[in-house]
Amino acid sequence: MNVSATKSSLRHDWTREEIRRIYRQPLPDLLFSAQQLHREFHDPRRVQFCRLLSVKTGGCPEDCAYCPQSAHYKTDVARGGLLPIEEVTEFAERARSEGATRVCMGAAWRQVHDGEDFERVLEMVRRVAQLGMEVCCSLGMLDDTQAKRLADAGLTAYNHNLDTSPEFYGQIITTRNYGDRLRTLTAVRKAGITICCGGIVGLGESDDDRIGLLHQLATLDPHPESVPINALERVAGTPLEHQQPLDPLVYVRTIATARNLMPASMVRLSAGRRSLSREAVALCFVAGANSLFIGEKLLTTPNADPEDDAAMLHSLGLEPLPLR
Ligand code: SAM
Ligand code: DTB
Ligand code: SF4
């Protein structure tokens, strides 16, 4: 089966059946087509370094079953108010000096509310953009005016994940639905901000749910420019604390399928990377991943050890993508 696309033929009309066929290929075949497309659209020696910062932590009214920041569960995450602007700019400067070219600020909000906090986030965006870095925010649901204001402040990307298939979604989150998520993505697109949208594997979903998520992402037109593939970070106190560990090859398969369907997008190794062996991470790069989060922490959970990361990238012969 020929699953390749050319630069001029990015497809947005994938059927679930086609995606199922791609996902279910023997792994070497799937990796081969992913790698071919990866090389057509990206420099295979470069990996973008991104850095996450939780600008407002914990106490979130949503009930996302995976999330340590939900107020519905008793976890070790300490609640905090919105960070001061200076702390964020200093953090971004440090991240830049460590090779990051993109900063993503997350807030434990269901949605953005107009007011002092939003004004402060807008100023954070302006300051990070002034450093010449890409700046991404993940603040929950947004309306058109708020998206426009973020665009005017210099926001590069807005992260808003679909997380899993429409069918499985209700088993993970009951306080909002798929339509709510899609409406925010439309507002972001309308404002001219690029979209960062992906999901989580290892929630207890089936192959068909992963295929369903990839179908949703790959039929967005344009595709999300950035596709974070998170592996569940199992956090004590959340309902998914005792979830079965994910088979790393399922993670690799999901990445390779994303690369086949959305060849021009950045596919990002996100949460859960610290649980993968170096060999599994190497396979993720073969599968077409081209970005990772650096630094000791994600939003609230630990990331892979920075020294181990440096050794891993060196042993794989990969280099950071420079600032554009
Ligand atoms: N509150 C905003 C929202 O949910 O859109 C933004 C922050 S939220 C922490 C961003 C994303 O982090 C979620 O959409 C989810 O995909 C991911 N995430 C949260 N907890 C996770 C976990 N334990 N393991 C893997 N991914 C997780
Ligand atoms: C995304 O898809 N992954 C990042 C980012 N978007 C905001 C967040 C991962 C969070 C992992 C759990 C934590 O550290 O709290
Ligand atoms: Fe809140 Fe986002 Fe966590 Fe859901 S994923 S509980 S919306 S911080």
Side-chain angles (χ1 to χ4, degrees):
M1 179 181 41
N2 178 13
V3 290
S4 71
T6 62
K7 277 184 194 184
S8 55
S9 68
L10 291 180
R11 283 188 50 194
H12 306 273
D13 62 350
W14 299 100
T15 65
R16 266 207 192 199
E17 192 42 46
E18 284 177 307
I19 299 177
R20 198 171 286 126
R21 280 208 300 272
I22 294 171
Y23 181 93
R24 294 212 167 133
Q25 290 175 98
L27 194 63
D29 292 353
L30 176 59
L31 291 177
F32 182 66
S33 54
Q35 186 56 208
Q36 276 182 314
L37 283 162
H38 186 56
R39 281 163 190 269
E40 191 181 329
F41 287 85
H42 306 274
D43 178 349
R45 295 185 178 187
R46 299 279 183 180
V47 175
Q48 185 178 25
F49 289 3
C50 309
R51 183 88 207 230
L52 276 165
L53 177 63
S54 180
V55 295
K56 197 279 161 202
T57 306
C60 182
E62 300 277 35
D63 70 353
C64 315
Y66 47 74
C67 188
Q69 302 200 67
S70 166
H72 295 257
Y73 321 124
K74 208 170 157 348
T75 68
D76 281 343
V77 169
R79 291 184 191 193
L82 188 64
L83 294 184
I85 292 165
E86 288 310 321
E87 202 173 317
V88 175
T89 45
E90 279 163 28
F91 177 93
E93 278 166 7
R94 220 174 319 124
R96 189 178 61 172
S97 73
E98 289 162 3
T101 58
R102 182 170 172 116
V103 167
C104 176
M105 300 187 275
W109 288 333
R110 167 176 163 78
Q111 67 203 93
V112 170
H113 291 286
D114 294 327
E116 242 174 74
D117 278 2
F118 185 44
E119 297 303 321
R120 201 193 296 177
V121 169
L122 291 169
E123 186 54 22
M124 292 173 185
V125 171
R126 282 183 210 109
R127 301 276 191 99
V128 180
Q130 273 161 18
L131 297 175
M133 305 179 82
E134 294 178 15
V135 44
C136 175
C137 278
S138 190
L139 313 170
M141 292 184 266
L142 279 183
D143 65 29
D144 286 356
T145 317
Q146 292 162 340
K148 179 76 179 55
R149 295 200 65 205
L150 284 164
D152 291 344
L155 192 74
T156 312
Y158 196 78
N159 168 248
H160 203 63
N161 291 337
L162 289 174
D163 281 339
T164 190
S165 67
E167 298 82 17
F168 194 62
Y169 199 79
Q171 291 192 42
I172 300 297
I173 302 159
T174 66
T175 49
R176 58 164 190 256
N177 61 37
Y178 229 71
D180 294 329
R181 287 312 255 190
L182 291 168
R183 264 187 294 284
T184 293
L185 292 173
T186 304
V188 171
R189 192 49 94 195
K190 260 192 0 211
I193 301 168
T194 67
I195 288 181
C196 173
C197 183
I200 312 182
V201 289
L203 299 169
E205 76 286 348
S206 64
D207 276 343
D208 258 6
D209 291 315
R210 291 183 278 272
I211 289 160
L213 166 69
L214 291 165
H215 180 243
Q216 287 289 326
L217 298 173
T219 52
L220 291 174
D221 188 4
H223 292 152
E225 288 78 3
S226 163
V227 182
I229 307 289
N230 297 277
L232 175 70
E233 188 68 54
R234 291 168 297 156
V235 181
T238 63
L240 297 180
E241 161 178 14
H242 300 297
Q243 190 57 46
Q244 285 273 94
L246 176 74
D247 173 354
L249 292 182
V250 167
Y251 188 65
V252 171
R253 208 174 258 289
T254 306
I255 287 171
T257 307
R259 174 51 75 222
N260 270 281
L261 303 174
M262 297 169 280
S265 302
M266 299 296 290
V267 176
R268 304 186 194 275
L269 301 180
S270 306
R273 184 168 61 82
R274 73 188 174 117
S275 312
L276 299 175
S277 70
R278 232 161 42 147
E279 293 79 2
V281 174
L283 271 184
C284 291
F285 290 128
V286 174
N290 56 353
S291 173
L292 46 70
F293 287 112
I294 61 161
E296 60 288 338
K297 212 167 151 192
L298 295 167
L299 290 175
T300 65
T301 62
N303 193 14
D305 179 78
E307 281 183 22
D308 291 350
D309 270 0
M312 171 191 69
L313 290 162
H314 180 73
S315 73
L316 300 182
L318 295 174
E319 287 179 19
L321 193 71
L323 272 180
R324 265 182 296 176

mmCIF file of all heavy atoms in Angstrom, residues 52 68-69 104 138 159 161 228 230 233 270-271 293 298-301, ligand 2:
data_model
loop_
_atom_site.group_PDB
_atom_site.id
_atom_site.type_symbol
_atom_site.label_atom_id
_atom_site.label_comp_id
_atom_site.label_asym_id
_atom_site.label_seq_id
_atom_site.Cartn_x
_atom_site.Cartn_y
_atom_site.Cartn_z
ATOM 1 N N LEU A 52 8.432 23.631 29.283
ATOM 2 C CA LEU A 52 7.104 23.876 29.853
ATOM 3 C C LEU A 52 7.212 24.650 31.151
ATOM 4 O O LEU A 52 8.150 24.455 31.921
ATOM 5 C CB LEU A 52 6.453 22.541 30.207
ATOM 6 C CG LEU A 52 5.722 21.773 29.126
ATOM 7 C CD1 LEU A 52 5.492 20.343 29.591
ATOM 8 C CD2 LEU A 52 4.389 22.437 28.801
ATOM 9 N N PRO A 68 -3.201 15.626 37.595
ATOM 10 C CA PRO A 68 -2.890 15.890 39.008
ATOM 11 C C PRO A 68 -3.357 17.272 39.479
ATOM 12 O O PRO A 68 -3.358 17.538 40.684
ATOM 13 C CB PRO A 68 -1.355 15.803 39.046
ATOM 14 C CG PRO A 68 -0.876 16.021 37.643
ATOM 15 C CD PRO A 68 -1.977 15.517 36.758
ATOM 16 N N GLN A 69 -3.786 18.122 38.534
ATOM 17 C CA GLN A 69 -4.152 19.491 38.900
ATOM 18 C C GLN A 69 -5.655 19.682 39.096
ATOM 19 O O GLN A 69 -6.115 20.777 39.412
ATOM 20 C CB GLN A 69 -3.663 20.462 37.836
ATOM 21 C CG GLN A 69 -2.164 20.383 37.617
ATOM 22 C CD GLN A 69 -1.648 21.627 36.954
ATOM 23 O OE1 GLN A 69 -1.670 22.705 37.537
ATOM 24 N NE2 GLN A 69 -1.223 21.499 35.719
ATOM 25 N N CYS A 104 6.235 26.833 26.512
ATOM 26 C CA CYS A 104 4.789 26.598 26.605
ATOM 27 C C CYS A 104 4.340 26.844 28.043
ATOM 28 O O CYS A 104 4.842 26.221 28.973
ATOM 29 C CB CYS A 104 4.476 25.167 26.191
ATOM 30 S SG CYS A 104 2.739 24.775 26.404
ATOM 31 N N SER A 138 -1.362 27.158 27.039
ATOM 32 C CA SER A 138 -2.379 26.135 27.212
ATOM 33 C C SER A 138 -3.204 26.559 28.421
ATOM 34 O O SER A 138 -2.810 26.342 29.566
ATOM 35 C CB SER A 138 -1.685 24.786 27.452
ATOM 36 O OG SER A 138 -2.614 23.742 27.395
ATOM 37 N N ASN A 159 -2.057 25.493 22.708
ATOM 38 C CA ASN A 159 -2.193 24.061 22.952
ATOM 39 C C ASN A 159 -3.557 23.740 23.543
ATOM 40 O O ASN A 159 -3.952 24.302 24.567
ATOM 41 C CB ASN A 159 -1.082 23.571 23.897
ATOM 42 C CG ASN A 159 -1.362 22.165 24.412
ATOM 43 O OD1 ASN A 159 -1.631 21.952 25.591
ATOM 44 N ND2 ASN A 159 -1.319 21.184 23.534
ATOM 45 N N ASN A 161 -5.647 20.036 23.678
ATOM 46 C CA ASN A 161 -5.617 18.645 23.210
ATOM 47 C C ASN A 161 -7.010 18.039 23.112
ATOM 48 O O ASN A 161 -7.890 18.336 23.925
ATOM 49 C CB ASN A 161 -4.777 17.791 24.169
ATOM 50 C CG ASN A 161 -3.303 18.148 24.103
ATOM 51 O OD1 ASN A 161 -2.832 18.691 23.104
ATOM 52 N ND2 ASN A 161 -2.561 17.850 25.155
ATOM 53 N N PRO A 228 1.397 17.110 20.031
ATOM 54 C CA PRO A 228 2.048 16.473 21.177
ATOM 55 C C PRO A 228 1.426 15.109 21.459
ATOM 56 O O PRO A 228 0.210 14.975 21.533
ATOM 57 C CB PRO A 228 1.761 17.454 22.335
ATOM 58 C CG PRO A 228 0.509 18.164 21.939
ATOM 59 C CD PRO A 228 0.423 18.152 20.433
ATOM 60 N N ASN A 230 1.361 12.559 24.274
ATOM 61 C CA ASN A 230 1.686 12.312 25.682
ATOM 62 C C ASN A 230 1.464 10.838 25.999
ATOM 63 O O ASN A 230 0.526 10.224 25.493
ATOM 64 C CB ASN A 230 0.761 13.128 26.597
ATOM 65 C CG ASN A 230 0.923 14.627 26.421
ATOM 66 O OD1 ASN A 230 1.808 15.235 26.997
ATOM 67 N ND2 ASN A 230 0.058 15.242 25.595
ATOM 68 N N GLU A 233 1.161 9.964 32.412
ATOM 69 C CA GLU A 233 2.012 10.023 33.597
ATOM 70 C C GLU A 233 1.061 9.637 34.731
ATOM 71 O O GLU A 233 0.101 10.366 35.021
ATOM 72 C CB GLU A 233 2.510 11.470 33.718
ATOM 73 C CG GLU A 233 3.539 11.741 34.746
ATOM 74 C CD GLU A 233 4.900 11.109 34.455
ATOM 75 O OE1 GLU A 233 5.475 11.307 33.375
ATOM 76 O OE2 GLU A 233 5.361 10.402 35.376
ATOM 77 N N SER A 270 6.078 14.102 24.534
ATOM 78 C CA SER A 270 5.624 14.994 25.607
ATOM 79 C C SER A 270 5.679 14.276 26.946
ATOM 80 O O SER A 270 6.712 13.710 27.279
ATOM 81 C CB SER A 270 4.234 15.514 25.253
ATOM 82 O OG SER A 270 4.268 16.109 23.966
ATOM 83 N N ALA A 271 4.574 14.275 27.684
ATOM 84 C CA ALA A 271 4.601 13.640 29.007
ATOM 85 C C ALA A 271 4.925 12.150 28.880
ATOM 86 O O ALA A 271 4.673 11.534 27.853
ATOM 87 C CB ALA A 271 3.249 13.822 29.685
ATOM 88 N N PHE A 293 10.492 17.881 25.269
ATOM 89 C CA PHE A 293 10.572 18.864 26.347
ATOM 90 C C PHE A 293 11.868 18.642 27.105
ATOM 91 O O PHE A 293 12.187 17.510 27.477
ATOM 92 C CB PHE A 293 9.375 18.734 27.302
ATOM 93 C CG PHE A 293 8.102 19.249 26.699
ATOM 94 C CD1 PHE A 293 7.064 18.383 26.371
ATOM 95 C CD2 PHE A 293 7.933 20.601 26.436
ATOM 96 C CE1 PHE A 293 5.889 18.853 25.795
ATOM 97 C CE2 PHE A 293 6.765 21.087 25.864
ATOM 98 C CZ PHE A 293 5.745 20.214 25.537
ATOM 99 N N LEU A 298 7.969 18.881 33.883
ATOM 100 C CA LEU A 298 6.978 19.208 32.854
ATOM 101 C C LEU A 298 6.145 20.354 33.438
ATOM 102 O O LEU A 298 6.683 21.431 33.647
ATOM 103 C CB LEU A 298 6.161 17.964 32.506
ATOM 104 C CG LEU A 298 6.980 16.831 31.857
ATOM 105 C CD1 LEU A 298 6.206 15.526 31.822
ATOM 106 C CD2 LEU A 298 7.416 17.214 30.439
ATOM 107 N N LEU A 299 4.861 20.132 33.708
ATOM 108 C CA LEU A 299 4.110 21.185 34.413
ATOM 109 C C LEU A 299 4.227 20.955 35.917
ATOM 110 O O LEU A 299 4.728 21.807 36.659
ATOM 111 C CB LEU A 299 2.642 21.172 33.977
ATOM 112 C CG LEU A 299 2.351 21.646 32.550
ATOM 113 C CD1 LEU A 299 0.874 21.465 32.218
ATOM 114 C CD2 LEU A 299 2.753 23.101 32.342
ATOM 115 N N THR A 300 3.803 19.767 36.354
ATOM 116 C CA THR A 300 3.888 19.467 37.797
ATOM 117 C C THR A 300 4.640 18.168 38.052
ATOM 118 O O THR A 300 4.933 17.845 39.194
ATOM 119 C CB THR A 300 2.471 19.322 38.406
ATOM 120 O OG1 THR A 300 1.841 18.173 37.821
ATOM 121 C CG2 THR A 300 1.611 20.545 38.147
ATOM 122 N N THR A 301 4.883 17.386 37.013
ATOM 123 C CA THR A 301 5.518 16.072 37.189
ATOM 124 C C THR A 301 6.955 16.117 36.676
ATOM 125 O O THR A 301 7.290 16.972 35.853
ATOM 126 C CB THR A 301 4.713 14.980 36.442
ATOM 127 O OG1 THR A 301 4.712 15.288 35.044
ATOM 128 C CG2 THR A 301 3.287 14.888 36.939
HETATM 129 C C1 DTB B 2 0.797 18.651 26.234
HETATM 130 O O1 DTB B 2 0.205 17.990 25.356
HETATM 131 N N1 DTB B 2 1.642 18.151 27.116
HETATM 132 C C2 DTB B 2 2.114 19.181 28.012
HETATM 133 C C3 DTB B 2 1.539 20.460 27.361
HETATM 134 N N2 DTB B 2 0.675 19.952 26.365
HETATM 135 C C4 DTB B 2 0.904 21.523 28.166
HETATM 136 C C5 DTB B 2 1.663 18.976 29.418
HETATM 137 C C6 DTB B 2 2.043 17.652 30.013
HETATM 138 C C7 DTB B 2 1.618 17.668 31.431
HETATM 139 C C8 DTB B 2 2.013 16.442 32.161
HETATM 140 C C9 DTB B 2 1.534 16.405 33.547
HETATM 141 C C10 DTB B 2 2.138 17.425 34.467
HETATM 142 O O2 DTB B 2 3.383 17.638 34.466
HETATM 143 O O3 DTB B 2 1.388 18.011 35.243
#
